């Protein structure tokens, strides 16, 4: 069975057919989904979805795009939400220097603060990092986030950096980008990193893999991602599904 480690089914793109779609995903072989928050409002929505569906778990947190408005009391909201036992991670949190929607110093501040609460709550973190590889890794290291571990979602860094993350016990999240023709750097990472360090994800509704590139993404597309990993690593499709499933259960402490 497939473990979807990163999706945003609270996104408004799913408003027209959310329930029908989610109910159909078990038939597509999906066992569990982590629905990931991006701000306080969506974190509440993640918990709502986790309450409604047995196979959905929640991650809660504020994305670097949204931290420009973050306040101390938002940390309290996250801590309160985390008391629900199907909240299994803090995320997505991190740094985004590609869009720079929030000032960089503000991004760093709230990244550190949210790592702090993850450590207090003993929850792993889901990291978003874009064009900010060095600062992200430095903060992970100096804040001793390895105590809780986590996953670098939609990994886009170098192989060398991926090795450093795995040394700290972090997983590498691999999504639709792996099926893109120009994804040579990511293909190298996937080839060389042990399957024991890889999680698979869609980041739905974004980043649909080939052959559905450009369309709305959903977890039924994970098969294309797993197939590509299987080709690159020269291991069976079933091994990719089963081992990445095991990795996700270990990280998020699910059954
Ligand atoms: Ni995401």
């Amino acid at each position: 069975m497939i473990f979807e480690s990163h999706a945003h089914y609270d996104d408004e793109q799913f408003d027209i057919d959310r329930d029908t779609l989610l109910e159909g995903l078990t038939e597509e072989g999906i066992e569990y989904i982590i629905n990931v928050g991006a701000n306080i409002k969506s974190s509440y929505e993640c918990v709502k979805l986790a309450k409604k569906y047995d196979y959905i778990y929640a991650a809660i947190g504020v994305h670097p795009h949204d931290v420009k408005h973050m306040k101390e009391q938002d940390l309290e909201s996250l801590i309160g939400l985390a008391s629900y036992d199907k909240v299994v991670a803090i995320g997505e949190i991190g740094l985004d220097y590609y869009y720079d929607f929030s000032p960089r110093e503000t991004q760093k501040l709230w990244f550190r603060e949210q790592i702090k609460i993850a450590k207090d709550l003993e929850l792993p973190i889901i990291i978003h990092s874009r064009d900010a590889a060095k600062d992200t890794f430095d903060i992970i290291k100096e804040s001793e986030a390895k105590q809780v571990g986590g996953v670098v979602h939609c990994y886009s860094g170098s192989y060398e950096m991926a090795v450093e993350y795995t040394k700290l016990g972090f997983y590498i999240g691999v999504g639709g980008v792996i099926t893109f023709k120009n994804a040579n750097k990511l293909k190298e990472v996937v080839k060389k990193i042990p399957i024991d360090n890889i999680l698979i994800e869609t980041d739905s509704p974004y980043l649909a893999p080939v052959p559905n590139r450009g369309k709305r993404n959903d977890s039924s597309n994970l098969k294309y991602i797993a197939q590509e990993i299987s080709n690159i690593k020269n291991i069976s499709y079933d091994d990719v599904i089963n081992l990445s499933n095991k990795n996700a259960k270990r990280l998020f402490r699910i059954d």
Side-chain angles (χ1 to χ4, degrees):
M1 296 284 275
I2 301 170
F3 196 120
E4 159 73 277
S5 67
H6 194 116
H8 302 279
Y9 284 112
D10 53 292
D11 191 282
E12 61 183 15
Q13 290 188 49
F14 295 109
D15 284 355
I16 41 162
D17 61 350
R18 180 174 297 105
D19 288 324
T20 327
L21 176 74
L22 287 174
E23 280 155 21
L25 285 178
T26 21
E27 276 161 48
E28 296 280 343
I30 306 296
E31 185 181 18
Y32 288 118
I33 296 169
I34 307 292
N35 202 77
V36 182
N39 52 46
I40 297 297
K41 188 173 163 275
S42 78
S43 294
Y44 277 95
E45 295 299 325
C46 291
V47 168
K48 248 197 231 168
L49 282 172
K51 285 183 173 163
K52 187 165 182 185
Y53 293 98
D54 283 349
Y55 51 89
I56 296 183
Y57 285 73
I60 56 169
V62 182
H63 190 287
H65 288 348
D66 281 314
V67 292
K68 57 179 175 290
H69 302 302
M70 199 167 175
K71 296 180 204 66
E72 201 65 35
Q73 79 190 67
D74 294 332
L75 288 179
E76 296 304 318
S77 302
L78 292 175
I79 292 166
L81 273 175
S83 64
Y84 177 51
D85 64 0
K86 286 181 80 188
V87 171
V88 293
I90 298 297
E92 53 190 287
I93 59 175
L95 304 174
D96 194 311
Y97 295 172
Y98 179 80
Y99 287 106
D100 276 328
F101 286 163
S102 307
R104 292 185 182 182
E105 287 311 312
T106 310
Q107 294 188 39
K108 288 190 217 170
L109 169 82
W110 290 109
F111 186 29
R112 289 197 184 95
E113 288 297 316
Q114 292 184 92
I115 290 172
K116 229 184 260 170
I117 66 165
K119 286 168 65 185
D120 289 344
L121 295 163
E122 299 182 340
L123 290 173
I125 59 176
I126 296 176
I127 303 163
H128 171 104
S129 176
R130 191 152 182 208
D131 285 3
K134 186 181 183 303
D135 283 0
T136 307
F137 187 75
D138 288 349
I139 289 176
I140 292 295
K141 206 152 186 191
E142 77 199 20
S143 64
E144 298 192 345
K146 69 164 184 241
Q147 284 175 28
V148 286
V151 54
V152 191
H153 132 74
C154 197
Y155 187 77
S156 61
S158 66
Y159 165 67
E160 291 74 18
M161 184 61 87
V163 171
E164 295 304 313
Y165 274 113
T166 61
K167 280 187 195 160
L168 296 179
F170 280 80
Y171 291 85
I172 302 301
V174 179
V177 174
I178 194 67
T179 66
F180 298 174
K181 268 211 177 94
N182 57 0
N184 293 330
K185 204 164 79 172
L186 181 61
K187 287 182 208 272
E188 184 199 357
V189 171
V190 166
K191 194 172 178 67
K192 294 185 182 168
I193 287 283
I195 186 72
D196 294 343
N197 299 110
I198 291 175
L199 301 189
I200 58 173
E201 60 168 66
T202 58
D203 203 18
S204 295
Y206 313 107
L207 286 174
V210 175
N212 293 321
R213 188 171 182 179
K215 296 185 189 153
R216 187 185 74 172
N217 201 2
D218 70 66
S219 305
S220 66
N221 285 323
L222 278 166
K223 53 182 181 279
Y224 302 114
I225 293 162
Q227 187 58 55
E228 187 65 34
I229 296 173
S230 148
N231 297 345
I232 292 169
K233 295 192 81 57
N234 208 7
I235 59 178
S236 74
Y237 174 83
D238 287 346
D239 277 353
V240 174
I241 296 295
N242 295 332
L243 295 169
S244 62
N245 177 306
K246 248 178 141 177
N247 299 341
K249 285 178 181 165
R250 194 185 312 124
L251 175 63
F252 298 116
R253 287 176 254 153
I254 293 172
D255 67 35

